[in-house]
Amino acid sequence: MIADVHRELTARRADYPMLAGTTYLANHALGAMHRDVPQRLADYAELWATRGALAWDTWQPELHRVADLVGATVGAPAGTTVLRQSVADLVGAFASCLDLSGRRNRIVYADEVEWPGSHYLWREQARVGADVVSVPISNDGGITLDEQRLVDAIDGRTALVYVSAVLFRTSTIIDVAPIVAKAHAAGAFVVLDAYQAAGALPLDVVALDVDACVGGSMKYLCGGPGAGWMYVAPRLSEVLRPSQVGWFGHAHPFEFAFADIDYAEGVQRFAGGTPGVPAAYAAGPGASALLEVGLAQVRERSVSLTQPLVEAALERGWQVNSPVDPARRGGHVSIDPGDSERVCDTLIAQGIAVDHLPGVGLRAGPHFFTEAAEVEAFLAAVAAAAPTPRTLRAQN
């Protein structure tokens, strides 16, 4: 039965043209493009060419439709997700809802394991009164978060806790539930970064009870850049008042009113300025395909590919910087065979797409359409390019 499911998934390889000529294991960085994207972009262009400004009558509903599609990949109900160019824009808009001038002014996060852009944004909130609490990470080389330390840092002065569902460097899955429970008991918001989780594993933002969840379509959602998205819990989306706003966050943007902003209903108040319509058109096919496949099957396939990769790396004596336990590991695997930046360049020259991060090594991110033989080819190529123990000793 499992073999039948895997054959069904890999049968979809023709939907991703890049796979015909590349061993593509960089879906954690930029997901392979779905074959319907060029036509969707052509549809957008045709509307612009033939309808001009009147195309907004079609573009606006499409923005909402795609927002619902990507939201559905993390369990968000229809009408609770909004699109914007990037996570930075969306998180900035959420942060602008906070009044950090009083006693409850603490922003809690673990900066050494979060995405650098998020680190920059939260650190700069000190300029508007935030007491930024950087949680120390566990003592294992500086790349893994001890969730309990984050929980312990939350107190009655905490305004917001920011945490990733899956860490971008190590692919570590974070146990979010105790963090949410402690934050809500203390009266704080929780913003979940699901960029490395969405499209790689099942996630239910409603069950997790997070206040907001951000991500983008660029990675496992296979939707390309420029389509950031944010879910906001309905209990909050009608009461939060962002100061970082734009004309699409107005209830009636095409009335061009000059009075104080009349916020759009619900999550649309976070829409900001003119949306990236082409990015939304590009993001739809990848999200639709994942929902057709089902995130549970995607996750099962992912584990079936990454667990042998981890075990083979350990057998070869390479440093594995991702959890060995698949229940604690997301969609990619980080390994360091030694001299990993050079090894990465060698693999890319051979048509094997992976990437390299300083202090982490190689990152390999298969997806549901990846074949086991491609993972084996990656392992063989790393083994051929990696320095021998004798070479490493000489270098040291």
Side-chain angles (χ1 to χ4, degrees):
M1 179 64 72
I2 292 176
D4 291 341
V5 171
H6 290 177
R7 280 194 293 271
E8 178 186 339
L9 297 182
T10 55
R12 292 175 173 261
R13 288 174 61 85
D15 290 338
Y16 301 86
M18 178 179 289
L19 306 183
T22 304
T23 298
Y24 198 71
L25 300 176
N27 297 285
H28 59 285
L30 178 62
M33 188 192 76
H34 194 280
R35 66 177 177 179
D36 289 346
V37 170
Q39 182 57 56
R40 297 298 292 133
L41 289 172
D43 294 343
Y44 155 79
E46 178 68 13
L47 282 165
W48 182 12
T50 60
R51 298 277 292 164
L54 300 180
W56 281 113
D57 291 342
T58 303
W59 288 348
Q60 276 193 294
E62 182 66 4
L63 288 165
H64 297 313
R65 186 187 76 86
V66 175
D68 285 345
L69 277 176
V70 296
T73 66
V74 293
T80 61
T81 304
V82 67
L83 298 179
R84 202 156 162 175
Q85 181 176 355
S86 68
V87 165
D89 290 338
L90 291 160
V91 175
F94 194 94
S96 76
C97 298
L98 305 176
D99 179 1
L100 300 171
S101 63
R103 183 176 180 275
R104 186 184 288 277
N105 67 340
R106 285 184 173 162
I107 307 294
V108 175
Y109 77 111
D111 65 349
E112 293 181 73
V113 296
E114 294 293 352
W115 178 251
S118 302
H119 162 76
Y120 307 148
L121 187 145
W122 293 122
R123 297 295 291 182
E124 290 305 309
Q125 298 310 301
R127 296 164 59 179
V128 293
D131 176 10
V132 182
V133 179
S134 175
V135 177
I137 55 182
S138 56
N139 301 318
D140 66 347
I143 53 178
T144 300
L145 173 66
D146 181 344
E147 293 100 325
Q148 189 58 46
R149 295 190 182 193
L150 198 61
V151 170
D152 292 342
I154 301 168
D155 60 20
R157 294 188 57 191
T158 304
L160 181 143
V161 181
Y162 189 83
V163 63
S164 287
V166 176
L167 301 184
F168 83 100
R169 290 197 289 177
T170 63
S171 198
T172 302
I173 295 175
I174 299 301
D175 184 5
V176 175
I179 297 168
V180 174
K182 178 70 177 292
H184 285 175
F189 295 124
V190 176
V191 177
L192 182 68
D193 186 329
Y195 220 136
Q196 283 291 348
L201 49 86
L203 200 64
D204 188 334
V205 292
V206 175
L208 287 171
D209 198 28
V210 294
D211 300 293
C213 179
V214 294
S217 293
M218 196 164 70
K219 303 185 188 299
Y220 292 101
L221 293 182
C222 297
W229 49 267
M230 179 167 69
Y231 156 83
V232 179
R235 66 177 181 275
L236 295 175
S237 59
E238 292 290 354
V239 298
L240 291 176
R241 298 175 60 83
S243 62
Q244 188 195 100
V245 292
W247 71 301
F248 259 73
H250 192 280
H252 306 287
F254 289 94
E255 290 184 1
F256 309 108
F258 282 92
D260 291 343
I261 186 168
D262 177 11
Y263 285 108
E265 291 186 5
V267 74
Q268 289 305 313
R269 64 187 56 198
F270 292 95
T274 304
V277 180
Y281 270 73
S288 294
L290 283 166
L291 293 171
E292 290 173 9
V293 169
L295 272 300
Q297 288 197 144
V298 170
R299 174 61 175 168
E300 180 186 88
R301 179 61 175 167
S302 175
V303 171
S304 77
L305 294 167
T306 58
Q307 191 60 21
L309 195 164
V310 167
E311 292 170 0
L314 290 172
E315 288 174 3
R316 289 167 168 80
W318 301 333
Q319 176 68 40
V320 175
N321 288 319
S322 295
V324 174
D325 180 359
R328 291 284 288 166
R329 189 180 63 246
H332 73 270
V333 175
S334 299
I335 63 171
D336 187 356
D339 201 7
S340 57
E341 185 171 9
R342 181 190 59 78
V343 173
C344 182
D345 291 342
T346 300
L347 266 60
I348 290 172
Q350 296 174 2
I352 301 174
V354 293
D355 71 354
H356 167 266
L357 286 184
V360 174
L362 303 172
R363 293 192 305 170
H367 212 337
F368 71 88
F369 43 66
T370 304
E371 293 182 332
E374 292 179 296
V375 174
E376 293 168 3
F378 162 76
L379 287 166
V382 174
T388 65
R390 179 180 298 174
T391 304
L392 285 174
R393 285 195 296 270
Q395 291 174 347
N396 294 330

